[in-house]
Amino acid sequence: MEWDGVARPTARLGPVTRSRVRTVSGSAVRDRRDDLATEEPLEIRLLAGGESRTVAITMRTPGADFELAAGFLHGEGIAGPGDIAAIGYCTDEDLDPEARYNTVTVRLAAPRLPDLATARNFLTSSACGVCGTASLDALRDRCAVPAVRPPVAVPATTLYGLPDRLREAQGVFGRTGGLHGAGLFTPDGAPLAVREDVGRHNAVDKLVGWALLGGRTPLDRHVLLVSGRVGYEIMQKAASAGIQIVCAVSAPSSLAVDLAREFGITLVGFLREERFNIYACPERIDVEQAAGTP
């Protein structure tokens, strides 16, 4: 797979943007410099058979853009393992120079573009994922539940340590306090990859893209942890990637719970300070040691 990510003279924004801020504390007022999480649009284009088409525009934090594009396409059932021939930043002459690092072209191995006539409008924000979520019927068509899943057992005491490990790996959050994090862990709690973004769904796409481009899918032997709440969009991406255990520091939505139960995914919420709730498929979490059972 070829990678077109060589730096060019065009200005390229990083994950952190410097700004001025006035802080007020009691009667004290001072002006200082502050670090903000960068938020910029990313256009994702498909290329096949000489034809190009924009399939998504999402607000994201620059960084791991190729992984984000691959993970997004995988989660939407547009491109799976082996379907991507190359990914690169767009160099079209009709693009303004400052936009070139905000446009990613994904060249497919297929001789023509997939039929996107029934695709939803993939204009997204950093806050809500893809607006107008696809129906559960569409997800069922793409993600048939396997008859037998490989057994995965995770001790409750292992889950207790995951939020701290995720937080330790969130370097940009440490500077800005303004990013979501998503991490992939082994069943024994070892971190494999952590990604950050202003959108929690983008952070998950970056992780799935990292796995897809590295030939690591399906992720049925991994634990996904997200730093905030978990909704339908994140569960959709987890189901598409074959993830069996999804954990969140905050709450799940009702649709996330419904999807977890239907697709046999263990869903853990409010994972913090050595406590959590299990909303679906509790059999994968070993609570004996946590409960002091001999």
Side-chain angles (χ1 to χ4, degrees):
M1 180 178 295
E2 63 189 73
W3 299 90
D4 181 16
V6 180
R8 299 182 178 86
T10 304
R12 184 177 184 180
L13 294 175
V16 176
T17 299
R18 289 290 176 88
S19 180
R20 299 293 300 177
V21 61
R22 175 164 294 179
T23 62
V24 179
S25 178
S27 60
V29 179
R30 70 185 183 97
D31 294 333
R32 64 178 178 84
R33 190 171 64 181
D34 195 21
D35 289 334
L36 304 178
T38 305
E39 184 176 29
E40 285 282 305
L42 179 71
E43 178 180 349
I44 301 174
R45 296 181 179 180
L46 286 182
L47 176 65
E51 184 181 1
S52 176
R53 185 178 306 173
T54 295
V55 295
I57 300 174
T58 184
M59 300 303 295
R60 98 304 188 191
T61 298
D65 291 332
F66 296 167
E67 296 174 355
L68 171 56
F72 176 85
L73 295 175
H74 181 275
E76 296 300 329
I78 297 174
D83 291 337
I84 296 175
I87 304 180
Y89 289 110
C90 188
T91 58
D92 288 356
E93 293 182 358
D94 60 344
L95 276 182
D96 292 334
E98 61 270 18
R100 290 178 182 169
Y101 284 113
N102 286 339
T103 306
V104 167
T105 297
V106 180
R107 181 161 62 84
L108 300 180
R112 62 181 61 87
L113 289 174
D115 182 11
L116 301 175
T118 59
R120 50 198 171 124
N121 179 11
F122 292 126
L123 178 63
T124 80
S125 76
S126 59
C128 66
V130 177
C131 300
T133 55
S135 67
L136 282 172
D137 287 340
L139 186 60
R140 293 185 188 104
D141 290 341
R142 294 205 315 272
C143 307
V145 180
V148 178
R149 287 182 181 269
V152 175
V154 178
T157 51
T158 297
L159 293 187
Y160 291 158
L162 297 188
D164 285 342
R165 293 183 180 181
L166 177 64
R167 175 65 182 82
E168 290 168 359
Q170 287 187 254
V172 180
F173 177 85
R175 295 177 59 185
T176 67
L179 287 181
H180 293 285
L184 277 176
F185 298 84
T186 64
D188 61 1
L192 296 177
V194 171
R195 295 293 183 268
E196 296 178 279
D197 201 276
V198 288
R200 58 176 61 85
H201 58 285
N202 286 342
V204 175
D205 275 339
K206 289 178 179 181
L207 280 181
V208 174
W210 166 82
L212 180 69
L213 296 175
R216 302 177 180 92
T217 56
L219 298 174
D220 53 8
R221 304 292 302 175
H222 300 76
V223 179
L224 171 66
L225 173 65
V226 295
S227 61
R229 62 180 176 83
V230 58
Y232 168 81
E233 293 286 346
I234 288 179
M235 294 306 299
Q236 169 199 339
K237 298 173 189 301
S240 297
I243 296 172
Q244 294 190 44
I245 301 176
V246 176
C247 302
V249 174
S250 191
S253 70
S254 61
L255 193 54
V257 174
D258 289 344
L259 193 151
R261 291 173 178 172
E262 177 169 349
F263 285 85
I265 300 172
T266 299
L267 177 56
V268 173
F270 293 106
L271 175 57
R272 61 182 78 159
E273 298 177 354
E274 296 194 359
R275 61 173 295 272
F276 56 81
N277 298 334
I278 306 176
Y279 294 87
C281 303
E283 62 274 8
R284 293 194 183 95
I285 308 301
D286 182 1
V287 299
E288 292 186 355
Q289 183 177 357
T293 303

